Amino acid sequence: MNSNYDIIIVGGGAAGFFTAINIVENNPKLKVAILERGKTVLEKVRISGGGRCNVTHACFVPNDLVKFYPRGEKELRGPFHQFCSGDTIEWFEKHGVELKIEDDGRMFPTTDSSQTIIDCFLGLTQKLKIDVLTGQSMQSLFHGDNYWKVETNHETYSCQKLVMTTGSNPKIWELLESMNHTIIPPVPSLFTFNIKDARIKDLMGISAFAHVKVKGTKLEASGPLLITHWGMSGPGILRLSAWGARILAEKKYQFVLEVNWLNDVTFDEAMESLKELKQEHAKKVVSKKSPFEFPNRLWESLVLASVISDETKWADLTKMQLTNLANQLTNGQFQVNGKSTFKEEFVTAGGIDLREINFKTMESKLHENLFFAGEIVNIDAITGGFNFQNAWTSGFLAALTIAK
């Protein structure tokens, strides 16, 4: 059996639905179908942002926004000038979904429920008569003269234009590779570090603003660092994992992490501060109260790691102990042995080589009438709504071109 459509979108995720809706809104005459391999659609939207769906980020200047993308910074500059975070807010408001900005810039539906976004997309596909076909696993792909043929486990579909929004799907990448597209091998991005170390053993839940660096590389980042029962997480660590995705994969996630708990304070500056504290608090016990902007329990742990007993007074600190403490504060060395996935939001670095895509239209440079949107291409971002913004922008540009 062969079903004919004007446009077929392979992948029932955020980018797929957004592309389909924008195509038909711009050209209602087009017959569009979304093919999804699973039994349900929009599952990644459902679990994103802890079930609240982090739709985008309140960064409205394209040249600033691109800096959150370890891969895709240069390529997204043009697209973001066409459709940026402000356009996303406007689009959702126009379709009955109000968004709110949180203190850290992340944007969520005012309902705090990802179901709001899912209902919006499902309602619009119904209203616009877009066919949503589930349980359709793509088996093969053929490009004829002015048409595409998609064979799934159930049926064969023909269309004039094809959009791939399948995210990090190795099987689809393999199919595209057989059609001469270059696939940058996927590696995990956005992950946390596994660390077993006495200094952080019982400090689960403690957070500090720190500067982190991978020893022997140029990889470094600053941000809140969260101590977990398996090691370290938080925005600072996730940022480092995103920018270092390939380097850390090559190291097989075995490396030394250098932590400056005082963020941008140098060893010499820390020594000066400690000498002043030694004078000012001579009679006080060193371990009792943190003189810096991080929790007392972390301070106490670093004091003990500097070979200073929990009864030692400031006045009694030796030069060696001061040196040890300044080192622990500004250059703590932690052995990382492996990684853990960050929540359910698994993101990969890898996908279709960016040089093979026209970023004005999201069309393949190798095959006419083949388009891409979302994470199928070698673009990924740090956490905070940026990966969704890439989905909206790439989907919008593809839709605009297709609808003409």
Side-chain angles (χ1 to χ4, degrees), residues 125-137:
T125 49
Q126 220 173 347
K127 179 186 165 189
L128 298 168
K129 296 183 169 53
I130 296 164
D131 289 346
V132 180
L133 310 168
T134 55
Q136 301 286 333
S137 177

Side-chain angles (χ1 to χ4, degrees), residues 8-12 33-37 131 133-134 136 150 152 157:
I8 283 175
I9 291 163
V10 182
I34 295 171
L35 305 184
E36 163 59 36
R37 65 176 173 157
D131 289 346
L133 310 168
T134 55
Q136 301 286 333
V150 178
T152 74
Y157 299 89

Side-chain angles (χ1 to χ4, degrees), residues 67 105 117 201 234 251 278 333:
K67 289 171 186 163
I117 305 299
K201 191 182 171 204
K251 290 181 176 289
K278 183 176 174 173
Q333 311 268 311

Side-chain angles (χ1 to χ4, degrees), residues 32-82:
V32 178
I34 295 171
L35 305 184
E36 163 59 36
R37 65 176 173 157
K39 290 178 183 175
T40 55
V41 292
L42 299 163
E43 274 309 299
K44 201 166 180 183
V45 171
R46 189 182 306 284
I47 62 171
S48 73
R52 296 195 298 145
C53 189
N54 186 181
V55 176
T56 186
H57 201 94
C59 178
F60 304 111
V61 180
N63 290 352
D64 293 337
L65 186 59
V66 292
K67 289 171 186 163
F68 295 97
Y69 295 81
R71 284 146 292 273
E73 179 179 344
K74 181 168 62 99
E75 291 79 6
L76 285 173
R77 192 168 276 113
F80 283 158
H81 276 93
Q82 298 302 310

Side-chain angles (χ1 to χ4, degrees), residues 44-55 102 106-109 112-114 342-345 383-385 388:
K44 201 166 180 183
V45 171
R46 189 182 306 284
I47 62 171
S48 73
R52 296 195 298 145
C53 189
N54 186 181
V55 176
E102 303 215 328
R106 292 181 304 159
M107 297 196 71
F108 295 90
D112 275 330
S113 171
S114 54
F342 174 63
K343 297 185 180 171
E344 300 93 346
E345 296 174 36
T383 183
F388 271 136

